[in-house]
Amino acid sequence: MTKLLKKLDQAAKAQGGWVDLDLTDPEQYAFYVAEMGGAEFLENNCPSLYRLIKQTRETVSVQDMGLNNTDPQDTFYIEAVTDDKKVPQKISSNVNNVNKESKITKTVLRYLETRPAVAIVTTMRDAVTGEQVKSYPVVYTDTKDIDCVLTGDFSRLAGKQQRKFQVSSTVTEVRESNGLAALSPKYVATTTYTVDDVVDIVQDYQVLAPVSKNTAHQQVKISYDRDVQLPDYDYRYYNGPVTDPQGKKHISVLLPVAIKVTVHEAYRIDTLDYDSGYRLYLDYPKGGMCHCLVDIHDLQPKISSSEKGNNNVLTLSMPDNWKNMLDFDQLENAASTNLNIYGEFHIVVQNNAGSLSLVISLSMKSSPDAVEGPCDKKVLPIFMQWGCMHKDTLIMLEDASLKKVCEIALGDKVLSYDGFAYPVTNIVTGPEEKLYQITTDRGKTVRLSSTHTVFLADGPLPAKDLRSGQTVLTVNGHEKILSVAIIDYHDQVYNLDFAQETAIYGDGFVIGDMQMQQTIRQPMLKERKRSPETMALIQELQRLSKLKGEGQ
């Protein structure tokens, strides 16, 4: 490693793994240009980008540009940044399978605000010779959530002896202010790896919880403060939302998480890697994360032996109480109550011969891009249930007669807005402190929980988003909302479920059933407008990624 890289490494590790590059420094400028492909490459293929890089060089500092100020909720880290004193995390390699793709490292960026473009160039070098093995460029546009994984066929690196490799990254953020684009380059500290094959280490990895008890479920269903006549939830807790002195509603996160890993008999499991910690969180539908805040030192993993191995099985059960609260207001406004769950745990594995100590990462992920692997499991998202109707809400049945929702029974046929009648397949009940009372200009009134769906002339909305003057659908046609009020209730509320998502009549209003309430529509996102200079930079960064990638 050169003196400059060592200097950048020390500065980056001192502040959490990354540091802003100062392009006014000749050495750092030369390093950054080389990482981006070199001056000739940039001048020929990315003239706008190269011009902005040179312009940034003339700026006194990144701080003076006002570009290094991140939002307190922004998260920026590189996975597997380890202590140099340890033998760090593995790279998968298999000399018998030259086509095997291995995961090297992952850069994770979580911004509160969307970035026009972010370019990440990850470089792998031989730790001894300094020889560049691979350079991997990736560009993301109009994004605030990035998981950049460096993969490749590294089986050719395996030899008779272990070899170490160092991986570092440069991150280029494109910012925009007052119609002008600017760059904010950063350097990510090196991570050292030892070649090994995870398949030869991990024999089995299971996620024991959260899991669905019903194979037909597409989510893990959590019932918070709700009862059902035909239980279809996987876990049930009595912890409804609470209101703080400022009027904000929160709900405690209660959710079981448990994993079990078995390594081959040639290895043994020492313990969790307490230095690396763990990550476990839920994604809000509209952005942001809710982390499990249980102290890793309070976790008590159980280590046991298999029939052939010795201390080669680890079972970890997290406490159900995450010691954190979900922002209930965000959930009420969500497009869906599906919350993606992410987890990463690290264990220390020792070769029985005593020649190698490894930190193995085990992950679980429910997002659509999740993939299965020896140490990676794709799990179901989390589905939470809440919200219902006043117990005296009159429901229209198949014959147009009316029946209080609290008196509805399983199998009763309820008239739907589409003119058909559908039998009730389940009834959900639970307590509620306050309800929204909606009154029309023709005297109709319905009382619902804040998240219950009401149909307007132009589509459904939750009750809490309704306003005076809007037009709602009723059994008698269109009517204007005269008033929306929040009233005290402190009683049981009810909701009905059917075999399919159904709009029904409640107190003369067209309202949603349980399924529809859990999938409240989200307003269309406004199209983002970018300046011509920013669009040119985005296109050139994409071209850089393609050309530089093809050159490897």
Side-chain angles (χ1 to χ4, degrees), residues 41 45-46 137 542-552:
F41 173 86
N45 297 283
C46 309
Q542 291 172 329
R543 189 182 310 133
L544 179 148
S545 175
K546 180 179 180 182
L547 293 176
K548 200 168 185 292
E550 291 174 348
Q552 300 301 317

Side-chain angles (χ1 to χ4, degrees), residues 463-527:
K464 71 187 297 292
D465 289 342
L466 298 181
R467 300 292 182 268
S468 298
Q470 291 177 312
T471 301
V472 293
L473 300 182
T474 74
V475 68
N476 302 117
H478 291 182
E479 297 186 22
K480 292 285 186 180
I481 295 178
L482 186 63
S483 64
V484 178
I486 300 176
I487 60 173
D488 290 328
Y489 183 58
H490 306 291
D491 205 339
Q492 291 292 106
V493 287
Y494 292 76
N495 210 339
L496 306 178
D497 212 354
F498 302 87
Q500 62 189 43
E501 189 176 88
T502 304
I504 61 178
Y505 293 102
D507 282 338
F509 289 72
V510 180
I511 59 177
D513 67 341
M514 188 67 191
Q515 292 186 51
M516 190 173 296
Q517 181 178 311
Q518 305 298 334
T519 55
I520 300 172
R521 275 58 173 172
Q522 187 179 25
M524 295 295 290
L525 295 174
K526 294 182 179 179
E527 183 179 359

Side-chain angles (χ1 to χ4, degrees), residues 230-420:
L230 292 179
D232 68 341
Y233 48 75
D234 300 302
Y235 304 95
R236 176 181 173 186
Y237 300 96
Y238 291 98
N239 66 322
V242 295
T243 304
D244 64 21
Q246 288 72 41
K248 295 279 291 182
K249 294 174 70 175
H250 304 274
I251 189 167
S252 295
V253 181
L254 299 179
L255 181 65
V257 174
I259 62 171
K260 180 180 180 181
V261 59
T262 304
V263 298
H264 288 285
E265 56 268 24
Y267 297 85
R268 67 178 182 271
I269 300 175
D270 287 344
T271 183
L272 291 176
D273 182 19
Y274 291 97
D275 291 334
S276 297
Y278 74 93
R279 278 190 290 274
L280 179 61
Y281 61 91
L282 294 170
D283 259 352
Y284 282 113
K286 280 190 166 183
M289 296 171 284
C290 180
H291 290 265
C292 178
L293 300 181
V294 176
D295 192 319
I296 188 172
H297 295 93
D298 292 337
L299 303 182
Q300 300 294 327
K302 295 181 180 179
I303 297 177
S304 57
S305 302
S306 65
E307 292 182 0
K308 295 183 179 180
N310 181 35
N311 289 341
N312 65 325
V313 180
L314 179 143
T315 304
L316 175 65
S317 296
M318 302 288 295
D320 285 12
N321 191 336
W322 285 27
K323 297 185 178 180
N324 204 350
M325 307 282 283
L326 282 168
D327 184 343
F328 196 74
D329 290 334
Q330 281 212 42
L331 299 176
E332 288 183 313
N333 289 324
S336 170
T337 47
N338 281 346
L339 304 179
N340 279 319
I341 184 171
Y342 300 83
E344 184 176 59
F345 304 89
H346 309 274
I347 62 173
V348 179
V349 176
Q350 180 74 34
N351 187 295
N352 286 332
S355 61
L356 180 65
S357 178
L358 300 172
V359 175
I360 304 294
S361 294
L362 307 167
S363 74
M364 53 187 289
K365 189 177 182 181
S366 64
S367 57
D369 61 341
V371 294
E372 288 276 344
C375 298
D376 305 286
K377 291 297 180 184
K378 184 173 184 177
V379 296
L380 296 176
I382 306 303
F383 182 88
M384 296 182 180
Q385 303 181 33
W386 45 67
C388 297
M389 296 173 269
H390 187 288
K391 64 181 181 180
D392 293 330
T393 301
L394 295 175
I395 303 300
M396 186 172 291
L397 304 181
E398 180 180 25
D399 59 1
S401 62
L402 301 176
K403 192 174 185 179
K404 290 182 178 180
V405 68
C406 63
E407 298 173 355
I408 293 286
L410 296 177
D412 282 356
K413 289 191 174 181
V414 174
L415 185 64
S416 172
Y417 181 64
D418 62 13
F420 295 94

